[in-house]
Amino acid sequence: GAVVSQHPSRVICKSGTSVKIECRSLDFQATTMFWYRQFPKQSLMLMATSNEGSKATYEQGVEKDKFLINHASLTLSTLTVTSAHPEDSSFYICSASDRNYGYTFGSGTRLTVV
Amino acid sequence: DAKTTQPPSMDCAEGRAANLPCNHSTISGNEYVYWYRQIHSQGPQYIIHGLKNNETNEMASLIITEDRKSSTLILPHATLRDTAVYYCIVRVGPRNAGNMLTFGGGTRLMVKP
């Protein structure tokens, strides 16, 4: 079946620094990838849609200059949280989409900003 | 995408069947019913999906009413490892890979010994 690898699984960073999260589709090509954020005891909230070779589409209220998304190949999308603040601490999850496999989710990244 | 309504929480005894309901009264003719679950601190896991016929796989069964306005996910013999949040999502079919999944509140299933 389809596998999506997300790395790192956990990261702790200092306020003001940037953190990059990678999302890879291991055995299929993902024309579209999605980035979600999840706060404790809440549901997943879509942050942005990433299409290979084009600019990401951000949901309302998500700052594109703070959450940089790059989808340079059909198997890799990255989310960079720039100038991280404690309120950015959350669980970030990527999903890769393919016409044959549908949606497959990564295992998530727990970001803690101190 | 059609909105779904699920009970916020349910309990189930280990070894018994877990029946998780979902209402989707505004579902359109071309929209499928998808079920995912999320175990604590993990990404969502696909369980099953269907259009109008009942579906069964190695994980669960999906029963969709004839009018398609509601469905039930059945875990036939729940185990402690089935404790998770279960999300019912309605959207256009799997071939439309460009559209995102929209998650509601889901049902928090607690399987108890």
Side-chain angles (χ1 to χ4, degrees):
Chain A
V3 177
V4 171
S5 174
Q6 186 172 342
H7 179 79
S9 58
R10 290 179 179 271
V11 59
I12 300 174
C13 71
K14 294 184 178 180
S15 290
T17 61
S18 296
V19 173
K20 179 185 285 188
I21 303 169
E22 291 188 350
C23 181
R24 294 180 184 273
S25 56
L26 297 187
D27 48 5
F28 68 102
Q29 293 184 331
T31 52
T32 305
M33 290 186 174
F34 305 95
W35 288 95
Y36 293 83
R37 179 169 53 183
Q38 185 177 34
F39 293 106
K41 298 191 184 301
Q42 295 186 22
S43 189
L44 285 76
M45 295 297 295
L46 181 69
M47 298 176 66
T49 301
S50 168
N51 293 299
E52 186 268 337
S54 63
K55 291 183 178 181
T57 303
Y58 291 81
E59 295 300 299
Q60 190 173 7
V62 178
E63 300 175 56
K64 63 180 181 181
D65 294 330
K66 181 171 183 59
F67 299 99
L68 301 179
I69 292 173
N70 184 284
H71 193 159
S73 77
L74 286 171
T75 59
L76 174 64
S77 177
T78 61
L79 168 68
T80 301
V81 182
T82 63
S83 187
H85 290 281
E87 56 264 32
D88 298 324
S89 297
S90 187
F91 192 54
Y92 292 87
I93 306 167
C94 72
S95 170
S97 176
D98 174 79
R99 290 183 178 274
N100 295 315
Y101 296 108
Y103 299 89
T104 305
F105 289 83
S107 55
T109 297
R110 175 80 54 195
L111 170 64
T112 303
V113 184
V114 297
Chain B
D1 296 339
K3 182 178 178 180
T4 62
T5 304
Q6 299 177 253
S9 64
M10 290 182 64
D11 289 346
C12 176
E14 187 179 20
R16 304 297 293 270
N19 297 289
L20 292 91
C22 179
N23 286 322
H24 32 78
S25 59
T26 60
I27 191 170
S28 300
N30 64 341
E31 289 182 315
Y32 288 67
V33 180
Y34 285 80
W35 282 85
Y36 283 78
R37 73 179 182 184
Q38 186 180 24
I39 296 170
H40 183 63
S41 293
Q42 296 183 24
Q45 175 191 23
Y46 167 82
I47 301 173
I48 198 167
H49 76 278
L51 181 62
K52 52 185 177 182
N53 297 323
N54 297 337
E55 301 288 340
T56 296
N57 63 21
E58 64 277 5
M59 291 183 68
S61 294
L62 173 60
I63 308 299
I64 303 173
T65 58
E66 193 169 341
D67 63 8
R68 303 210 321 123
K69 292 185 176 182
S70 65
S71 61
T72 301
L73 178 74
I74 301 173
L75 307 179
H77 305 286
T79 70
L80 299 179
R81 288 180 294 179
D82 291 323
T83 293
V85 178
Y86 287 77
Y87 295 99
C88 169
I89 300 169
V90 173
R91 53 143 290 146
V92 293
R95 300 300 180 195
N96 294 60
N99 297 324
M100 73 289 188
L101 291 175
T102 300
F103 288 82
T107 296
R108 188 172 297 275
L109 176 68
M110 179 73 72
V111 181
K112 299 183 175 181

